[in-house]
Amino acid sequence: MTGKTAPPAKKTAPAAAKKKAAPAPKEEAAPKEEAAPKEEAAPKEEAAPKEAAPAAPAAEEPPATEQPPAPTDEPAPVPMEAGAEAIPAPAEGSPAPPAESPAPAPEPKLEKPKEEPPSCPLSLAVEEVSENSFTLTWKAPEQTGRAGLDGYVVEICKDGSSDWKAVNQEPFLSTRYTIPNLSSGDKIHVRVVAVSASGASVPATLEQPVLIREILQLPKIRMPRHLRETYIRRVGDAVNIMIPFQGKPQPEVSWTKGGQPLDTNRINIRNTARDTIFYIRQAQRGDSGKYELTVQINGAEDKATLDIRVVEPPGPPQNLKLVDVWGFNVALEWTPPADNGNSEIKGYRVQKSDKKSGKWFTVLERCTRTSCTISDLIIGNTYSFRVFSENICGLSDSAAVASGVAYIEKTKTTYQPEKIPQRDMMEPPKFTQPLTDRTTTRGYSTHLFCSVRGFPQPKIIWLKNQMEIREDPKYIALIDQGVCSLEIRKPGPFDGGVYTCKAVNPLGEASVDCRLDVKGEI
Protein backbone atom coordinates (compact mmCIF):
# COMPACT_ATOMS: atom_id res chain seq x y z
CA MET A 1 0.00 0.00 0.00
CA THR A 2 2.79 2.45 0.83
CA GLY A 3 4.50 1.70 -2.46
CA LYS A 4 1.39 2.67 -4.40
CA THR A 5 1.06 6.04 -2.67
CA ALA A 6 4.55 7.20 -3.50
CA PRO A 7 3.80 8.62 -6.97
CA PRO A 8 1.01 10.98 -5.78
CA ALA A 9 3.43 12.42 -3.17
CA LYS A 10 5.59 13.72 -5.95
CA LYS A 11 2.64 15.63 -7.41
CA THR A 12 2.17 17.72 -4.26
CA ALA A 13 5.14 19.89 -5.03
CA PRO A 14 3.39 21.98 -7.68
CA ALA A 15 0.37 22.28 -5.42
CA ALA A 16 2.57 23.56 -2.59
CA ALA A 17 4.12 26.08 -4.98
CA LYS A 18 0.68 27.36 -5.82
CA LYS A 19 -0.12 27.74 -2.14
CA LYS A 20 3.04 29.74 -1.60
CA ALA A 21 2.14 32.09 -4.40
CA ALA A 22 -1.34 32.69 -3.05
CA PRO A 23 -0.52 34.94 0.00
CA ALA A 24 1.11 37.63 -2.14
CA PRO A 25 -2.17 38.62 -3.90
CA LYS A 26 -3.96 38.68 -0.53
CA GLU A 27 -1.77 41.51 0.75
CA GLU A 28 -2.72 43.61 -2.27
CA ALA A 29 -6.45 42.79 -1.65
CA ALA A 30 -7.15 42.54 -5.38
CA PRO A 31 -10.50 40.89 -6.12
CA LYS A 32 -9.17 38.84 -9.00
CA GLU A 33 -6.35 37.34 -6.91
CA GLU A 34 -8.80 36.05 -4.28
CA ALA A 35 -9.86 33.35 -6.68
CA ALA A 36 -6.67 31.35 -5.97
CA PRO A 37 -8.08 29.75 -2.82
CA LYS A 38 -11.14 28.68 -4.84
CA GLU A 39 -8.97 26.48 -7.01
CA GLU A 40 -7.60 24.90 -3.81
CA ALA A 41 -11.19 24.22 -2.72
CA ALA A 42 -11.87 22.15 -5.82
CA PRO A 43 -12.51 18.51 -4.91
CA LYS A 44 -10.00 17.14 -7.41
CA GLU A 45 -7.06 19.18 -6.00
CA GLU A 46 -7.92 18.27 -2.40
CA ALA A 47 -8.16 14.58 -3.17
CA ALA A 48 -4.44 14.32 -3.88
CA PRO A 49 -3.20 15.73 -0.53
CA LYS A 50 -5.65 13.45 1.39
CA GLU A 51 -4.24 10.30 -0.21
CA ALA A 52 -0.62 11.59 0.23
CA ALA A 53 -0.92 12.26 3.95
CA PRO A 54 2.75 11.25 4.72
CA ALA A 55 4.00 13.94 2.30
CA ALA A 56 2.08 16.76 4.06
CA PRO A 57 5.12 17.93 6.11
CA ALA A 58 6.78 19.02 2.86
CA ALA A 59 4.36 21.96 2.72
CA GLU A 60 5.49 24.37 5.41
CA GLU A 61 2.71 26.98 5.25
CA PRO A 62 -0.15 26.21 7.64
CA PRO A 63 -1.99 29.55 7.10
CA ALA A 64 -2.93 28.53 3.56
CA THR A 65 -4.83 25.45 4.81
CA GLU A 66 -6.87 27.47 7.34
CA GLN A 67 -8.46 29.75 4.69
CA PRO A 68 -12.19 28.76 4.11
CA PRO A 69 -13.25 27.78 0.59
CA ALA A 70 -15.07 30.40 -1.48
CA PRO A 71 -18.82 29.88 -2.17
CA THR A 72 -19.54 27.98 -5.37
CA ASP A 73 -22.94 29.59 -6.20
CA GLU A 74 -21.36 31.95 -8.74
CA PRO A 75 -18.33 31.34 -10.95
CA ALA A 76 -15.29 32.95 -9.31
CA PRO A 77 -13.26 35.46 -11.33
CA VAL A 78 -10.02 33.89 -12.53
CA PRO A 79 -6.80 35.86 -11.82
CA MET A 80 -4.46 36.64 -14.69
CA GLU A 81 -1.68 34.31 -13.52
CA ALA A 82 -3.95 31.53 -12.36
CA GLY A 83 -6.09 31.91 -15.45
CA ALA A 84 -3.08 31.23 -17.64
CA GLU A 85 -2.49 27.95 -15.81
CA ALA A 86 -6.15 26.93 -15.56
CA ILE A 87 -7.01 27.35 -19.27
CA PRO A 88 -5.36 24.48 -21.11
CA ALA A 89 -3.46 25.36 -24.26
CA PRO A 90 -4.60 23.71 -27.44
CA ALA A 91 -2.81 20.53 -28.22
CA GLU A 92 -0.24 20.50 -30.93
CA GLY A 93 -1.76 19.83 -34.29
CA SER A 94 -5.31 20.57 -33.12
CA PRO A 95 -7.32 23.04 -35.24
CA ALA A 96 -7.69 26.58 -33.99
CA PRO A 97 -11.20 27.66 -32.84
CA PRO A 98 -13.26 29.24 -35.62
CA ALA A 99 -13.53 33.01 -35.64
CA GLU A 100 -16.96 34.44 -34.78
CA SER A 101 -18.81 35.74 -37.86
CA PRO A 102 -20.32 39.23 -37.58
CA ALA A 103 -24.10 39.34 -36.91
CA PRO A 104 -26.23 40.20 -40.01
CA ALA A 105 -27.76 43.65 -40.08
CA PRO A 106 -31.53 43.65 -39.19
CA GLU A 107 -33.90 44.11 -42.10
CA PRO A 108 -36.02 47.25 -41.99
CA LYS A 109 -39.65 46.45 -40.92
CA LEU A 110 -42.56 47.89 -42.83
CA GLU A 111 -44.97 49.77 -40.65
CA LYS A 112 -48.46 48.29 -40.77
CA PRO A 113 -51.37 50.70 -41.14
CA LYS A 114 -53.05 51.25 -37.81
CA GLU A 115 -56.49 49.67 -37.52
CA GLU A 116 -59.38 51.65 -36.23
CA PRO A 117 -60.64 50.74 -32.76
CA PRO A 118 -64.00 48.96 -32.47
CA SER A 119 -67.24 50.89 -32.44
CA CYS A 120 -69.32 51.58 -29.35
CA PRO A 121 -71.30 48.70 -27.72
CA LEU A 122 -75.05 48.87 -28.41
CA SER A 123 -78.26 48.76 -26.36
CA LEU A 124 -76.72 49.10 -22.90
CA ALA A 125 -79.48 48.50 -20.34
CA VAL A 126 -80.04 47.43 -16.74
CA GLU A 127 -81.48 43.95 -16.44
CA GLU A 128 -81.79 43.58 -12.67
CA VAL A 129 -81.06 45.61 -9.54
CA SER A 130 -80.67 44.31 -5.98
CA GLU A 131 -79.69 45.89 -2.68
CA ASN A 132 -75.94 45.41 -3.29
CA SER A 133 -75.52 44.70 -7.03
CA PHE A 134 -77.01 45.17 -10.45
CA THR A 135 -76.76 43.37 -13.80
CA LEU A 136 -76.06 44.98 -17.18
CA THR A 137 -76.75 43.71 -20.69
CA TRP A 138 -75.67 45.06 -24.06
CA LYS A 139 -75.09 44.05 -27.66
CA ALA A 140 -71.82 43.66 -29.54
CA PRO A 141 -70.59 46.67 -31.54
CA GLU A 142 -71.23 46.82 -35.26
CA GLN A 143 -67.52 47.08 -36.13
CA THR A 144 -64.95 44.92 -34.35
CA GLY A 145 -61.93 45.16 -36.67
CA ARG A 146 -59.93 42.40 -38.33
CA ALA A 147 -58.39 41.04 -35.14
CA GLY A 148 -61.76 40.85 -33.40
CA LEU A 149 -62.61 41.88 -29.87
CA ASP A 150 -60.45 41.06 -26.87
CA GLY A 151 -63.47 41.73 -24.66
CA TYR A 152 -65.24 44.43 -22.69
CA VAL A 153 -64.30 46.55 -19.71
CA VAL A 154 -67.01 47.79 -17.34
CA GLU A 155 -66.36 51.04 -15.48
CA ILE A 156 -68.36 52.64 -12.69
CA CYS A 157 -68.41 56.05 -11.08
CA LYS A 158 -70.44 57.27 -8.12
CA ASP A 159 -72.89 60.09 -8.70
CA GLY A 160 -71.19 63.43 -8.09
CA SER A 161 -67.70 62.08 -8.76
CA SER A 162 -65.60 61.93 -11.92
CA ASP A 163 -63.37 59.07 -10.82
CA TRP A 164 -64.11 56.13 -13.14
CA LYS A 165 -62.90 52.73 -11.97
CA ALA A 166 -62.73 49.48 -13.92
CA VAL A 167 -64.72 46.68 -12.31
CA ASN A 168 -63.13 43.76 -14.15
CA GLN A 169 -59.35 43.27 -14.17
CA GLU A 170 -59.23 41.61 -17.60
CA PRO A 171 -61.52 42.01 -20.62
CA PHE A 172 -64.26 39.42 -21.06
CA LEU A 173 -66.39 38.50 -24.09
CA SER A 174 -69.80 38.08 -22.46
CA THR A 175 -72.45 40.74 -23.10
CA ARG A 176 -73.88 40.39 -19.61
CA TYR A 177 -72.16 41.38 -16.40
CA THR A 178 -73.15 41.67 -12.74
CA ILE A 179 -71.43 44.35 -10.64
CA PRO A 180 -71.32 43.13 -7.01
CA ASN A 181 -70.32 44.59 -3.64
CA LEU A 182 -72.18 47.90 -3.91
CA SER A 183 -73.70 49.90 -1.08
CA SER A 184 -77.45 50.23 -0.84
CA GLY A 185 -78.65 53.74 -1.62
CA ASP A 186 -75.72 54.68 -3.89
CA LYS A 187 -76.27 56.12 -7.34
CA ILE A 188 -73.83 54.59 -9.81
CA HIS A 189 -72.96 55.76 -13.32
CA VAL A 190 -71.92 52.93 -15.62
CA ARG A 191 -70.19 52.69 -18.97
CA VAL A 192 -68.90 49.80 -21.07
CA VAL A 193 -65.87 49.94 -23.39
CA ALA A 194 -65.07 47.45 -26.15
CA VAL A 195 -61.34 46.58 -26.28
CA SER A 196 -59.31 45.10 -29.13
CA ALA A 197 -55.69 44.99 -30.26
CA SER A 198 -56.16 48.31 -32.07
CA GLY A 199 -57.45 50.17 -29.01
CA ALA A 200 -60.58 50.93 -27.01
CA SER A 201 -63.95 52.06 -28.34
CA VAL A 202 -66.03 55.05 -27.36
CA PRO A 203 -67.77 54.02 -24.12
CA ALA A 204 -71.47 53.19 -24.05
CA THR A 205 -72.93 55.03 -21.04
CA LEU A 206 -76.27 54.81 -19.25
CA GLU A 207 -78.13 58.10 -19.40
CA GLN A 208 -79.27 57.94 -15.78
CA PRO A 209 -77.42 56.64 -12.72
CA VAL A 210 -78.54 53.34 -11.23
CA LEU A 211 -79.94 53.55 -7.70
CA ILE A 212 -78.80 50.54 -5.70
CA ARG A 213 -81.83 49.23 -3.84
CA GLU A 214 -83.74 46.04 -3.88
CA ILE A 215 -86.47 45.71 -6.52
CA LEU A 216 -89.05 43.27 -5.33
CA GLN A 217 -90.68 42.97 -8.75
CA LEU A 218 -89.46 44.11 -12.16
CA PRO A 219 -91.82 46.37 -14.18
CA LYS A 220 -94.07 44.51 -16.60
CA ILE A 221 -96.94 45.84 -18.75
CA ARG A 222 -99.82 43.39 -19.20
CA MET A 223 -101.35 44.67 -22.43
CA PRO A 224 -104.89 43.29 -22.98
CA ARG A 225 -105.21 41.08 -26.04
CA HIS A 226 -107.70 43.34 -27.88
CA LEU A 227 -105.27 46.27 -27.53
CA ARG A 228 -102.36 44.42 -29.16
CA GLU A 229 -103.97 45.16 -32.53
CA THR A 230 -105.18 48.49 -33.88
CA TYR A 231 -107.86 49.95 -31.59
CA ILE A 232 -110.57 51.49 -33.83
CA ARG A 233 -113.14 54.04 -32.68
CA ARG A 234 -115.54 56.30 -34.55
CA VAL A 235 -115.34 60.07 -34.52
CA GLY A 236 -117.16 61.41 -31.47
CA ASP A 237 -116.88 58.18 -29.46
CA ALA A 238 -115.18 58.12 -26.08
CA VAL A 239 -111.86 56.30 -25.70
CA ASN A 240 -111.52 54.75 -22.25
CA ILE A 241 -108.68 52.24 -21.92
CA MET A 242 -107.26 50.65 -18.79
CA ILE A 243 -103.86 48.92 -19.04
CA PRO A 244 -102.65 46.95 -16.00
CA PHE A 245 -98.99 46.59 -15.05
CA GLN A 246 -96.86 45.23 -12.20
CA GLY A 247 -93.73 46.25 -10.35
CA LYS A 248 -92.50 46.93 -6.81
CA PRO A 249 -91.83 49.52 -5.60
CA GLN A 250 -94.44 51.50 -7.49
CA PRO A 251 -93.07 52.19 -10.98
CA GLU A 252 -93.04 55.50 -12.77
CA VAL A 253 -95.54 55.65 -15.67
CA SER A 254 -95.16 57.92 -18.69
CA TRP A 255 -97.09 58.33 -21.95
CA THR A 256 -95.73 59.81 -25.19
CA LYS A 257 -96.89 60.16 -28.80
CA GLY A 258 -94.19 60.37 -31.43
CA GLY A 259 -91.62 60.99 -28.71
CA GLN A 260 -93.53 64.05 -27.41
CA PRO A 261 -95.63 64.42 -24.22
CA LEU A 262 -99.39 64.12 -24.59
CA ASP A 263 -101.78 67.08 -24.90
CA THR A 264 -103.43 67.10 -21.50
CA ASN A 265 -106.23 69.32 -22.81
CA ARG A 266 -107.57 66.43 -24.88
CA ILE A 267 -106.17 63.30 -23.22
CA ASN A 268 -106.53 62.46 -19.54
CA ILE A 269 -104.16 60.00 -17.86
CA ARG A 270 -104.77 58.56 -14.41
CA ASN A 271 -102.21 56.24 -12.83
CA THR A 272 -102.56 53.92 -9.86
CA ALA A 273 -100.20 51.41 -8.29
CA ARG A 274 -101.49 48.66 -10.59
CA ASP A 275 -102.83 50.25 -13.79
CA THR A 276 -102.98 53.33 -15.97
CA ILE A 277 -106.15 54.76 -17.57
CA PHE A 278 -106.11 56.48 -20.97
CA TYR A 279 -109.24 58.60 -21.57
CA ILE A 280 -110.48 60.83 -24.42
CA ARG A 281 -113.97 62.28 -24.05
CA GLN A 282 -114.71 62.78 -27.76
CA ALA A 283 -112.27 61.24 -30.21
CA GLN A 284 -111.26 63.11 -33.35
CA ARG A 285 -109.34 61.89 -36.35
CA GLY A 286 -106.32 63.84 -35.15
CA ASP A 287 -106.18 61.56 -32.10
CA SER A 288 -105.17 58.64 -34.33
CA GLY A 289 -101.60 57.41 -33.97
CA LYS A 290 -99.28 55.27 -31.90
CA TYR A 291 -98.97 56.02 -28.19
CA GLU A 292 -95.97 54.70 -26.22
CA LEU A 293 -96.42 53.58 -22.61
CA THR A 294 -93.29 53.26 -20.43
CA VAL A 295 -93.19 51.74 -16.93
CA GLN A 296 -89.84 52.29 -15.17
CA ILE A 297 -88.18 51.40 -11.86
CA ASN A 298 -84.63 52.72 -11.36
CA GLY A 299 -83.41 52.08 -14.89
CA ALA A 300 -85.36 48.83 -15.38
CA GLU A 301 -88.29 49.50 -17.71
CA ASP A 302 -90.94 47.94 -19.91
CA LYS A 303 -92.57 49.51 -22.95
CA ALA A 304 -95.76 48.94 -24.91
CA THR A 305 -97.38 50.61 -27.92
CA LEU A 306 -101.08 51.47 -28.25
CA ASP A 307 -102.24 52.02 -31.85
CA ILE A 308 -105.47 54.03 -32.05
CA ARG A 309 -107.35 54.80 -35.25
CA VAL A 310 -110.35 57.14 -35.23
CA VAL A 311 -112.50 56.62 -38.33
CA GLU A 312 -115.65 58.04 -39.90
CA PRO A 313 -117.79 57.26 -42.97
CA PRO A 314 -116.08 57.96 -46.30
CA GLY A 315 -117.01 60.56 -48.87
CA PRO A 316 -119.01 59.71 -52.02
CA PRO A 317 -117.32 58.36 -55.17
CA GLN A 318 -116.28 60.85 -57.80
CA ASN A 319 -116.83 61.22 -61.52
CA LEU A 320 -119.66 58.69 -61.87
CA LYS A 321 -120.64 58.45 -65.54
CA LEU A 322 -122.74 56.32 -67.85
CA VAL A 323 -120.32 54.72 -70.29
CA ASP A 324 -122.54 52.67 -72.62
CA VAL A 325 -126.07 51.33 -73.10
CA TRP A 326 -126.79 48.29 -75.28
CA GLY A 327 -129.64 45.83 -75.30
CA PHE A 328 -130.67 45.22 -71.70
CA ASN A 329 -127.27 46.33 -70.28
CA VAL A 330 -125.65 49.49 -68.92
CA ALA A 331 -121.92 50.11 -68.15
CA LEU A 332 -120.90 52.51 -65.34
CA GLU A 333 -117.52 53.94 -64.22
CA TRP A 334 -116.35 56.10 -61.28
CA THR A 335 -113.28 57.02 -59.22
CA PRO A 336 -112.58 56.47 -55.49
CA PRO A 337 -113.69 59.12 -52.98
CA ALA A 338 -111.42 61.98 -52.04
CA ASP A 339 -111.81 61.13 -48.32
CA ASN A 340 -111.76 57.48 -47.26
CA GLY A 341 -112.70 58.30 -43.65
CA ASN A 342 -109.27 57.24 -42.33
CA SER A 343 -110.07 53.64 -43.22
CA GLU A 344 -109.70 51.36 -46.22
CA ILE A 345 -112.57 51.36 -48.73
CA LYS A 346 -114.15 47.91 -48.60
CA GLY A 347 -116.36 48.33 -51.66
CA TYR A 348 -119.15 50.22 -53.38
CA ARG A 349 -122.92 49.82 -53.45
CA VAL A 350 -124.65 50.42 -56.82
CA GLN A 351 -128.36 51.24 -57.00
CA LYS A 352 -130.84 51.82 -59.86
CA SER A 353 -134.16 53.64 -60.10
CA ASP A 354 -136.71 53.46 -62.92
CA LYS A 355 -138.59 56.58 -63.92
CA LYS A 356 -142.03 55.06 -63.40
CA SER A 357 -141.71 54.07 -59.73
CA GLY A 358 -138.94 56.47 -58.60
CA LYS A 359 -137.72 53.94 -56.01
CA TRP A 360 -134.09 52.93 -55.57
CA PHE A 361 -133.12 49.27 -55.67
CA THR A 362 -129.69 47.83 -54.88
CA VAL A 363 -128.08 46.11 -57.83
CA LEU A 364 -124.57 45.35 -56.48
CA GLU A 365 -123.12 45.22 -52.94
CA ARG A 366 -119.44 45.38 -51.97
CA CYS A 367 -118.33 45.91 -55.55
CA THR A 368 -114.54 46.09 -55.20
CA ARG A 369 -113.89 47.59 -58.65
CA THR A 370 -114.58 51.14 -59.86
CA SER A 371 -116.67 49.95 -62.81
CA CYS A 372 -119.57 47.58 -63.32
CA THR A 373 -122.13 46.31 -65.81
CA ILE A 374 -125.84 46.21 -64.92
CA SER A 375 -127.94 43.68 -66.84
CA ASP A 376 -131.54 42.43 -67.02
CA LEU A 377 -133.07 45.89 -67.44
CA ILE A 378 -136.67 46.12 -68.65
CA ILE A 379 -137.30 47.20 -72.21
CA GLY A 380 -138.97 50.57 -72.51
CA ASN A 381 -137.95 51.89 -69.05
CA THR A 382 -135.67 54.81 -68.24
CA TYR A 383 -133.14 54.26 -65.43
CA SER A 384 -131.00 56.44 -63.16
CA PHE A 385 -127.99 55.17 -61.20
CA ARG A 386 -126.11 56.12 -58.02
CA VAL A 387 -123.12 54.68 -56.13
CA PHE A 388 -122.19 54.74 -52.38
CA SER A 389 -118.72 54.22 -50.86
CA GLU A 390 -118.30 51.84 -47.93
CA ASN A 391 -115.61 51.41 -45.25
CA ILE A 392 -115.46 49.93 -41.77
CA CYS A 393 -117.93 52.55 -40.51
CA GLY A 394 -120.48 51.82 -43.20
CA LEU A 395 -121.81 53.62 -46.25
CA SER A 396 -120.99 57.19 -47.16
CA ASP A 397 -123.49 59.81 -46.07
CA SER A 398 -124.22 60.77 -49.67
CA ALA A 399 -124.01 59.04 -53.04
CA ALA A 400 -122.65 59.94 -56.44
CA VAL A 401 -125.49 60.15 -58.99
CA ALA A 402 -124.88 59.65 -62.71
CA SER A 403 -125.65 62.76 -64.73
CA GLY A 404 -127.32 60.90 -67.59
CA VAL A 405 -130.13 58.37 -67.77
CA ALA A 406 -130.34 55.08 -69.63
CA TYR A 407 -133.33 54.36 -71.88
CA ILE A 408 -133.82 50.75 -72.84
CA GLU A 409 -135.25 50.78 -76.36
CA LYS A 410 -137.55 48.20 -77.84
CA THR A 411 -135.81 46.27 -80.56
CA LYS A 412 -137.25 43.79 -83.01
CA THR A 413 -135.60 40.45 -82.49
CA THR A 414 -136.36 37.10 -83.99
CA TYR A 415 -135.59 33.86 -82.26
CA GLN A 416 -133.60 31.41 -84.25
CA PRO A 417 -133.19 28.07 -82.49
CA GLU A 418 -129.79 26.56 -82.68
CA LYS A 419 -129.50 23.67 -85.07
CA ILE A 420 -128.13 20.62 -83.32
CA PRO A 421 -126.78 17.94 -85.65
CA GLN A 422 -128.18 14.51 -84.96
CA ARG A 423 -125.68 11.89 -83.98
CA ASP A 424 -125.91 8.21 -84.62
CA MET A 425 -125.77 6.64 -81.17
CA MET A 426 -125.96 3.04 -82.43
CA GLU A 427 -122.99 1.02 -81.25
CA PRO A 428 -122.23 -2.69 -80.99
CA PRO A 429 -121.38 -4.12 -77.55
CA LYS A 430 -117.89 -3.41 -76.28
CA PHE A 431 -116.41 -4.33 -72.90
CA THR A 432 -114.65 -1.38 -71.26
CA GLN A 433 -113.57 -3.41 -68.21
CA PRO A 434 -112.86 -7.16 -68.63
CA LEU A 435 -113.25 -9.92 -66.09
CA THR A 436 -110.23 -10.78 -63.94
CA ASP A 437 -109.12 -14.17 -62.61
CA ARG A 438 -110.05 -14.71 -58.97
CA THR A 439 -109.28 -17.16 -56.21
CA THR A 440 -111.82 -17.68 -53.42
CA THR A 441 -112.26 -19.87 -50.38
CA ARG A 442 -114.81 -22.63 -50.13
CA GLY A 443 -118.02 -21.46 -48.44
CA TYR A 444 -117.36 -17.70 -48.92
CA SER A 445 -119.45 -15.91 -51.55
CA THR A 446 -117.57 -14.10 -54.32
CA HIS A 447 -118.38 -11.64 -57.14
CA LEU A 448 -117.25 -11.30 -60.74
CA PHE A 449 -117.37 -7.79 -62.28
CA CYS A 450 -117.05 -6.32 -65.78
CA SER A 451 -118.43 -3.30 -67.65
CA VAL A 452 -119.88 -3.03 -71.16
CA ARG A 453 -121.30 -0.35 -73.40
CA GLY A 454 -123.45 -0.43 -76.52
CA PHE A 455 -126.67 0.90 -78.01
CA PRO A 456 -129.26 -0.40 -77.93
CA GLN A 457 -128.52 -1.86 -74.53
CA PRO A 458 -127.03 -5.29 -74.99
CA LYS A 459 -128.38 -8.49 -73.45
CA ILE A 460 -126.01 -10.09 -70.91
CA ILE A 461 -125.51 -13.87 -70.85
CA TRP A 462 -123.27 -15.64 -68.27
CA LEU A 463 -121.66 -19.01 -69.05
CA LYS A 464 -119.70 -21.49 -66.99
CA ASN A 465 -117.35 -23.74 -68.92
CA GLN A 466 -119.22 -22.71 -72.12
CA MET A 467 -122.55 -23.73 -70.55
CA GLU A 468 -125.17 -21.02 -70.09
CA ILE A 469 -126.12 -20.29 -66.50
CA ARG A 470 -129.90 -20.24 -66.34
CA GLU A 471 -132.24 -19.87 -63.39
CA ASP A 472 -130.00 -21.22 -60.67
CA PRO A 473 -130.40 -19.83 -57.11
CA LYS A 474 -126.69 -20.30 -56.58
CA TYR A 475 -125.98 -17.50 -59.09
CA ILE A 476 -127.31 -13.93 -59.02
CA ALA A 477 -126.63 -11.83 -62.17
CA LEU A 478 -127.15 -8.05 -62.20
CA ILE A 479 -126.48 -5.13 -64.59
CA ASP A 480 -126.57 -1.43 -63.61
CA GLN A 481 -125.42 1.45 -65.81
CA GLY A 482 -123.36 -0.92 -67.91
CA VAL A 483 -121.69 -2.64 -64.90
CA CYS A 484 -122.29 -6.40 -64.95
CA SER A 485 -121.87 -8.54 -61.84
CA LEU A 486 -122.27 -12.24 -61.06
CA GLU A 487 -122.54 -13.37 -57.44
CA ILE A 488 -121.59 -17.00 -56.70
CA ARG A 489 -123.06 -17.91 -53.34
CA LYS A 490 -121.01 -20.17 -51.07
CA PRO A 491 -118.98 -21.81 -53.84
CA GLY A 492 -117.76 -25.36 -53.57
CA PRO A 493 -114.94 -27.24 -55.30
CA PHE A 494 -117.19 -27.95 -58.32
CA ASP A 495 -117.94 -24.20 -58.83
CA GLY A 496 -114.43 -23.48 -60.09
CA GLY A 497 -113.79 -23.13 -63.79
CA VAL A 498 -113.93 -20.62 -66.65
CA TYR A 499 -116.73 -18.04 -66.46
CA THR A 500 -117.76 -16.03 -69.57
CA CYS A 501 -119.83 -12.86 -69.87
CA LYS A 502 -121.40 -12.34 -73.31
CA ALA A 503 -123.09 -9.11 -74.46
CA VAL A 504 -125.41 -9.26 -77.50
CA ASN A 505 -127.39 -6.54 -79.38
CA PRO A 506 -128.59 -6.19 -82.96
CA LEU A 507 -125.26 -4.74 -84.07
CA GLY A 508 -123.09 -7.58 -82.76
CA GLU A 509 -121.79 -9.33 -79.70
CA ALA A 510 -118.73 -9.38 -77.46
CA SER A 511 -117.51 -11.57 -74.61
CA VAL A 512 -114.90 -11.70 -71.86
CA ASP A 513 -113.93 -14.60 -69.58
CA CYS A 514 -111.93 -15.34 -66.44
CA ARG A 515 -110.95 -18.30 -64.30
CA LEU A 516 -112.25 -18.92 -60.79
CA ASP A 517 -110.33 -21.19 -58.39
CA VAL A 518 -112.00 -22.45 -55.21
CA LYS A 519 -109.67 -23.51 -52.40
CA GLY A 520 -110.49 -25.56 -49.40
CA GLU A 521 -111.00 -24.03 -45.96
CA ILE A 522 -107.84 -22.89 -44.15
Side-chain angles (χ1 to χ4, degrees), residues 76-99:
V78 181
M80 297 301 293
E81 297 177 3
E85 296 176 2
I87 298 174
E92 294 181 359
S94 61

Side-chain angles (χ1 to χ4, degrees), residues 122 164-165 181 200 234-235 246 284 323 328 405 416 444 517:
L122 305 174
W164 289 91
K165 296 181 180 179
N181 304 326
R234 299 188 64 165
V235 172
Q246 64 184 23
Q284 301 295 330
V323 178
F328 310 100
V405 294
Q416 295 180 355
Y444 291 88
D517 294 329

Side-chain angles (χ1 to χ4, degrees), residues 192-203:
V192 178
V193 179
V195 180
S196 70
S198 56
S201 69
V202 177

Side-chain angles (χ1 to χ4, degrees), residues 47 77 204 235 377 387 414 495:
V235 172
L377 300 177
V387 179
T414 57
D495 292 322

Side-chain angles (χ1 to χ4, degrees), residues 58-104:
E60 297 178 355
E61 289 186 24
T65 58
E66 295 177 0
Q67 186 173 0
T72 59
D73 297 336
E74 299 180 358
V78 181
M80 297 301 293
E81 297 177 3
E85 296 176 2
I87 298 174
E92 294 181 359
S94 61
E100 297 181 357
S101 60

